[in-house]
Amino acid sequence: MSFLTHLECSACGLELEPERLWNLCPQCRKPLLARYDLEKVKLSRGALSGREQTLWRYRELLPLRDDRYRLSLGEGFTPLIRAENLGRELGFTNLWIKEEGVNPTNSFKARGLAVAISRAHELGVRAVSIPSAGNAAGAMCAYAALAGMSAYVYMPKDVPHPFIAECRALGAEVTLVEGLITDCGRLAAQHLAEDRRFDVSTLKEPYRIEGKKTMGYELAEQLGWNLPDVIIYPTGGGTGLVGMWKAFAEMEQLGWISSRRPRMVTVQAEGCAPMVKAFWEGREFAEPWENARTAADGLRVPAAVGDFLILRALRESRGTAVAVTDREMLQSANRIGRTQGIFASPEGGATLAAFLRLRRSGWIADGESVVLFNTGSGHKYAHLW
Ligand SMILES: *Cc1c(COP(=O)(O)O)cnc(C)c1O
């Protein structure tokens, strides 16, 4: 059962009743966050061990009230792999890869959308809509199909064919848009009123982040409740990074972990690095990135509604932000492949590229423990090889 109590605006603090549908805060148009009665959750860490090997093992900390609405394809509880071969090659012992490519629809987007679409299903939604540069759309379509909902997808015209094919095969109506994900968002918003579509854009509804925060719970559980020193995360809209940061606070309140936190690292592409720029300029919000260009579709996000939440988590954690080239991403993806047998996405490759830079600069010290996130598999990006 869920211990969800209310929704709270991440910017103005407005509290909202959670049994109806919400998108952004009605007062200030910023993301809403789910809050739980963590005092009442009488769940011990040990009690988790016998549970199912999906993200639903943390159901008390997820928003779904009634299991009958749960839509599951086996998402979450992905392997945390000790990268021994890669580590040996790099002269670094404590290197781990969280392998998210094995999720349904081959990326960690399945986590957020399994939870968001399940909750929308519970609240009576019959049609969902998403602007997406790739993996989020496929994940939405999979869970919408399972729920028997209509699915509407808006994608930039130049997204690789596998992303489009996947959505069509999963029964969605796909609209290809001239421009970037932000242009897709604008068109999707114009069509929302038709058959009362619910918008599940990144951080524009409160539950995708709840699905993605389970990566933080899993890391803690899989590492014996000791978080790593550094987490390197390829950041687009930032749901995963902000979600894990939220999970750490929740786990501390639950008494599951101490107050020690990993340093969080955002990695973006040199051709689209709004968070990296804002981080180094000391800004609270990021400016939209002009002419965003990168082959890493998940990182081609010129503006994020949760920008201030990403920047806050980086600073609170004493983390950093790094931009890498597409060439470095692919070389690093190949290195992960050659040493660890994982066909990584360019976004996953980007985390290793950032690691190499941070080792060279001395920001990551010998003996620290580092987790790289391979957020999706390389299969949908095969045209790059
Ligand atoms: C969407 C996506 C990202 C970015 O994730 P956010 O949580 O939105 O920052 C990274 N990698 C892949 C493969 C993606 O699909």
Side-chain angles (χ1 to χ4, degrees), residues 232-235 265-270 294 296 299 322-334 336 344-358 372-375:
I232 307 185
Y233 183 84
T235 306
V265 179
T266 270
V267 53
Q268 294 196 302
E270 283 194 351
T294 171
L299 305 185
V322 182
V324 300
T325 64
D326 280 21
R327 199 182 141 80
E328 284 176 275
M329 288 182 206
L330 284 185
Q331 282 173 343
S332 294
N334 283 338
I336 292 171
S345 59
E347 295 87 344
T351 64
L352 176 59
F355 171 83
L356 296 173
R357 287 198 180 198
L358 294 171
L372 309 178
F373 268 87
N374 179 40
T375 45

Side-chain angles (χ1 to χ4, degrees), residues 107-109 135-136 202 208 212 233-241 298-299 345 347-348 375-376 381:
S107 89
F108 71 159
K109 291 290 195 306
N135 283 312
T202 300
R208 277 175 64 182
K212 279 223 189 143
Y233 183 84
T235 306
T239 353
L241 189 122
L299 305 185
S345 59
E347 295 87 344
T375 45
Y381 309 75

Side-chain angles (χ1 to χ4, degrees), residues 250-305:
E250 290 175 357
M251 282 190 283
E252 187 180 349
Q253 257 189 285
L254 288 164
W256 290 1
I257 60 168
S258 72
S259 60
R260 207 181 69 80
R261 295 282 185 280
R263 308 201 299 285
M264 307 297 283
V265 179
T266 270
V267 53
Q268 294 196 302
E270 283 194 351
C272 181
M275 295 306 141
V276 179
K277 182 163 183 280
F279 178 80
W280 286 103
E281 288 177 353
R283 292 183 197 274
E284 188 185 359
F285 298 95
E287 281 165 17
W289 191 271
E290 305 284 337
N291 304 315
R293 279 180 69 123
T294 171
D297 295 86
L299 305 185
R300 205 160 56 132
V301 183
V305 262

Side-chain angles (χ1 to χ4, degrees), residues 309-344:
L309 298 172
I310 299 169
L311 292 162
R312 195 182 293 166
L314 295 180
R315 292 185 179 121
E316 282 177 7
S317 75
R318 292 175 305 110
T320 191
V322 182
V324 300
T325 64
D326 280 21
R327 199 182 141 80
E328 284 176 275
M329 288 182 206
L330 284 185
Q331 282 173 343
S332 294
N334 283 338
R335 202 160 184 182
I336 292 171
R338 176 165 56 71
T339 54
Q340 293 299 140
I342 294 168
F343 183 17

Side-chain angles (χ1 to χ4, degrees), residues 14-33:
L14 180 69
E15 294 194 1
L16 295 164
E17 191 277 305
E19 301 313 315
R20 53 164 286 196
L21 291 168
W22 294 103
N23 285 108
L24 291 172
C25 171
Q27 202 163 271
C28 70
R29 315 294 299 156
K30 294 292 181 197
L32 297 173
L33 299 174

Side-chain angles (χ1 to χ4, degrees), residues 184-230:
C184 297
R186 228 165 288 139
L187 187 63
Q190 284 169 19
H191 293 178
L192 281 178
E194 292 170 30
D195 49 68
R196 297 168 56 227
R197 299 176 193 175
F198 184 60
D199 181 8
V200 295
S201 307
T202 300
L203 285 172
K204 288 191 184 165
E205 62 72 53
Y207 301 125
R208 277 175 64 182
I209 182 176
E210 293 305 290
K212 279 223 189 143
K213 81 178 178 188
T214 58
M215 295 188 292
Y217 281 89
E218 287 175 25
L219 272 189
E221 190 179 353
Q222 290 171 321
L223 289 170
W225 307 101
N226 291 305
L227 292 171
D229 295 306
V230 175

